[in-house]
Amino acid sequence: MREGPDIARIASLVGDPARANMLNALMGGTALTASELALEAGVSLPTASSHLSKLMEGGLLTLASQGRHRYYGLAGPQVAGMIEAITGVAEAVGPKRVRPGPRDGAMRVARVCYDHLAGEHAVAMLDRLVARGILLRDDKEIRLGEIRPGQIRPGEIRLGPSAASYFSALGIDVGAKPRRPVCRACLDWSVRRSHLAGTLGAAILDKILSEKWARREKDSRAVVFSPPGKQAFERVFLG
């Protein structure tokens, strides 16, 4: 037996279509009940409960109880990043499904990826922050379709010298020492390049929503910008 992480076990958990649909439904960062996840997966409640037990045992989900209700969520941003990366690989090299209509188009422009912004707007924002030196990307970014052995991770991201003052002016504190990374590259499945994750990515999404530049579309991960909100976002993050 080889030493090291058991990749096959995790892959088998994610590889079941019903479980994959459940995990994808939780990518919006909202905890869901077993009944809600059964609907997302297209299975009966007893079957969903069996799948959820396996995902819990595998460490991919967390469970919180509130009154009589039990809510499932992703175990953390590392799990969300894995799902996003797998989705990107499937989009790049896997068989294509028939795409739904306008909602899917909105998802490609801007959406929630667990707790941060993803999609075209998010990738453009990271590119601009790096170009301005506010964020630094240590290595050349790796794009889906150009992945070679030993190059699975995109280039690491860190704060630039002006980052603290720049984000402080926006009401975002990057000086704290959180338990998770401040900056992390997350491979975007729709653009096939990196967007910004970590506590900074989450804080930027909170800023966008609190300023009402954009809103979460109901029953979707899509983030829809208003015309004035899009202008404000571009002025602050793409200027």
Side-chain angles (χ1 to χ4, degrees):
M1 180 180 293
R2 292 180 179 271
E3 296 182 355
D6 190 351
I7 298 174
R9 178 169 172 266
I10 300 298
S12 67
L13 287 171
V14 179
D16 180 89
R19 292 196 288 269
N21 286 337
M22 290 177 174
L23 292 168
N24 191 58
L26 294 169
M27 284 291 287
T30 301
L32 299 174
T33 65
S35 297
E36 291 168 330
L37 289 168
L39 289 173
E40 292 287 345
V43 298
S44 67
L45 182 55
T47 301
S49 296
S50 175
H51 284 308
L52 291 168
S53 294
K54 292 177 181 178
L55 291 170
M56 288 288 296
E57 291 170 4
L60 299 184
L61 296 183
T62 58
L63 177 62
S65 297
Q66 185 173 346
R68 295 181 299 172
H69 300 288
R70 291 153 60 88
Y71 295 94
Y72 293 88
L74 296 182
Q78 190 174 24
V79 176
M82 175 186 69
I83 302 303
E84 181 81 356
I86 291 173
T87 306
V89 173
E91 177 72 12
V93 303
K96 300 295 188 294
R97 296 179 179 178
V98 176
R99 292 176 180 168
R103 177 176 291 186
D104 196 68
M107 286 268 288
R108 292 171 182 275
V109 173
R111 66 184 181 278
V112 173
C113 178
Y114 186 61
D115 64 355
H116 56 271
L117 188 69
E120 295 170 3
H121 286 356
V123 171
M125 177 182 70
L126 177 57
D127 283 350
R128 186 57 184 153
L129 291 173
V130 170
R132 295 168 64 184
I134 296 169
L135 298 180
L136 305 177
R137 188 151 40 200
D138 291 339
D139 305 306
K140 181 181 178 181
E141 184 184 13
I142 300 166
R143 306 186 184 200
L144 280 169
E146 300 175 356
I147 294 175
R148 299 292 181 270
Q151 293 184 319
I152 298 301
R153 288 184 177 273
E156 293 185 359
I157 300 171
R158 55 192 172 91
L159 300 174
S162 62
S165 59
Y166 173 80
F167 288 110
S168 178
L170 299 175
I172 298 173
D173 180 15
V174 295
K177 300 295 182 183
R179 297 174 61 182
R180 52 185 284 211
V182 175
C183 303
R184 186 175 64 81
C186 185
L187 205 51
D188 193 292
W189 70 261
S190 56
V191 183
R192 306 186 190 181
R193 295 186 49 226
S194 299
H195 59 245
L196 178 65
T199 58
L200 179 55
I204 290 174
L205 178 59
D206 287 345
K207 171 76 174 178
I208 290 168
L209 297 177
S210 66
E211 294 288 345
K212 294 184 170 49
W213 296 345
R215 59 175 174 80
R216 290 282 304 271
E217 187 172 307
K218 186 178 179 180
D219 300 326
S220 172
R221 289 168 55 195
V223 174
V224 180
F225 283 79
S226 67
K230 185 172 182 289
Q231 291 178 354
F233 171 80
E234 291 175 345
R235 182 177 67 252
V236 172
F237 293 112
L238 302 182

